[in-house]
Amino acid sequence: MESDKNRHRSSHIHGAGFWPDGRPVIATHTGLMEFRKDGWYELSSNRHDYMGFELVKDGFYASGHPEQDSPYKNPLGVVHGTDKGETLDIRSLEGEADFHYMSAGFESESLYVYLETATSELEPGFYRSLDGGTSFEPMKMNGIEGRGIAGITADASEPKRVFVYGPDGILVSDDGGDTFEPFLEQKQIVTMTSTKEELASIAKDGASFNLVVSNLTDKTETTVELPSLNADSIPIELVSQDGRLLLATSDNSVYVYESEEWTQLLQAGKVN
């Protein structure tokens, strides 16, 4: 795979995670970037404006807009990528849908999305796909009345388990988003992530943020001290994999947590 060392600035981060080889990756307006020992590299294949980028066990799902002179229609609809984005498979809604809010189960590959603009067949609203983005059906969303929703997170392994989070905490559904019940209340959740064993969430407490990792088996909770964040650094992406955490913030900074220590990989988008 060809790639170029980026010595400029990364554009807005629209998704993040770890490749199977452990390298951090972020999705930007101009394609994917991965972190290596000597810095960030732009991956040269399929440099689309990816939105709703979500890593799964065998690749990633995304939406967004195609790069200039691309054979794909705008918007991309739902795409499944493999080989670090060298190969793309359009699953559905090409030329019709741009999902900014999309979550994929890491193992199940169930997709949960919010559609902002109507397509030829779908009205705006929440939808699920249990066949890898080929088809969608509406979520009834019973139980969320009067609660704010900031985001949606698919369970890593249970196809019909999905969380919604926001200013009123976290709610969980075990029937594909038809009915929800409280999971964690009285906390303003700004982002969260789910693995087979754990659920990690960041709550806003006044002017500060708190990160808690919950073990789903023994129900224990561990508080992880966040790196020092300034007023412009609101957590927007949180990913957990193999005991490591990746955090992206609203000022385009990226941090990785391992061995009980945070390392900053990207500061306010500056990569040189």
Side-chain angles (χ1 to χ4, degrees):
M1 175 186 296
E2 295 182 357
S3 57
D4 298 306
K5 184 71 177 293
N6 188 297
R7 299 189 180 279
H8 308 289
R9 297 179 68 86
S10 74
S11 53
H12 296 292
I13 296 171
H14 295 149
F18 297 101
W19 291 129
D21 62 12
R23 290 176 179 168
V25 56
I26 58 176
T28 76
H29 278 310
T30 55
L32 304 180
M33 296 176 63
E34 71 174 17
F35 186 80
R36 304 175 187 173
K37 289 183 179 179
D38 60 342
W40 289 95
Y41 282 77
E42 296 178 334
L43 303 185
S44 58
S45 299
N46 289 305
R47 297 198 55 77
H48 307 301
D49 178 7
Y50 289 114
M51 304 295 294
F53 177 84
E54 285 273 298
L55 285 164
V56 293
K57 196 171 185 178
D58 71 342
F60 66 84
Y61 286 90
S63 191
H65 306 280
E67 63 180 330
Q68 189 174 4
D69 299 324
S70 167
Y72 300 115
K73 296 178 182 177
N74 184 30
L76 289 170
V78 179
V79 299
H80 177 251
T82 53
D83 303 321
K84 293 189 174 182
E86 284 199 62
T87 302
L88 289 186
D89 173 30
I90 301 288
R91 292 292 171 87
S92 65
L93 298 169
E94 182 184 4
E96 291 201 73
D98 173 23
F99 293 109
H100 289 204
Y101 303 96
M102 178 162 63
S103 184
F106 185 79
E107 296 179 11
S108 71
E109 298 197 19
S110 292
L111 301 185
Y112 290 89
V113 303
Y114 180 72
L115 179 66
E116 296 179 271
T117 304
T119 71
S120 60
E121 297 183 0
L122 304 177
E123 294 296 323
F126 290 93
Y127 291 85
R128 61 176 173 259
S129 174
L130 304 181
D131 56 9
T134 301
S135 64
F136 286 88
E137 55 187 8
M139 299 158 60
K140 294 180 181 178
M141 304 296 288
N142 293 324
I144 67 163
E145 296 81 3
R147 296 175 182 265
I149 297 179
I152 189 166
T153 300
D155 186 83
S157 55
E158 294 294 333
K160 286 196 170 185
R161 193 166 211 233
V162 60
F163 304 88
V164 294
Y165 62 87
D168 302 303
I170 300 173
L171 289 86
V172 63
S173 171
D174 288 312
D175 58 8
D178 286 340
T179 57
F180 284 87
E181 60 183 26
F183 182 85
L184 176 66
E185 294 188 285
Q186 298 178 340
K187 288 188 177 182
Q188 181 179 350
I189 305 299
V190 296
T191 187
M192 64 173 288
T193 185
S194 165
T195 70
K196 190 173 182 178
E197 299 83 14
E198 297 178 334
L199 186 150
S201 61
I202 297 179
K204 191 175 190 301
D205 182 12
S208 62
F209 297 94
N210 300 315
L211 169 57
V212 174
V213 179
S214 304
N215 187 296
L216 298 176
T217 302
D218 60 19
K219 309 301 181 183
T220 58
E221 292 187 347
T222 303
T223 299
V224 177
E225 185 174 352
L226 286 166
S228 179
L229 303 176
N230 61 41
D232 297 323
S233 301
I234 299 171
I236 58 171
E237 296 280 349
L238 180 65
V239 178
S240 176
Q241 185 174 316
D242 299 328
R244 303 164 75 202
L245 295 170
L246 186 148
L247 171 68
T249 60
S250 58
D251 68 341
N252 297 317
S253 295
V254 176
Y255 307 80
V256 167
Y257 181 81
E258 56 186 328
S259 302
E260 299 186 355
E261 184 178 1
W262 288 100
T263 301
Q264 187 168 23
L265 306 184
L266 187 64
Q267 183 176 6
K270 191 176 181 181
V271 296
N272 58 317

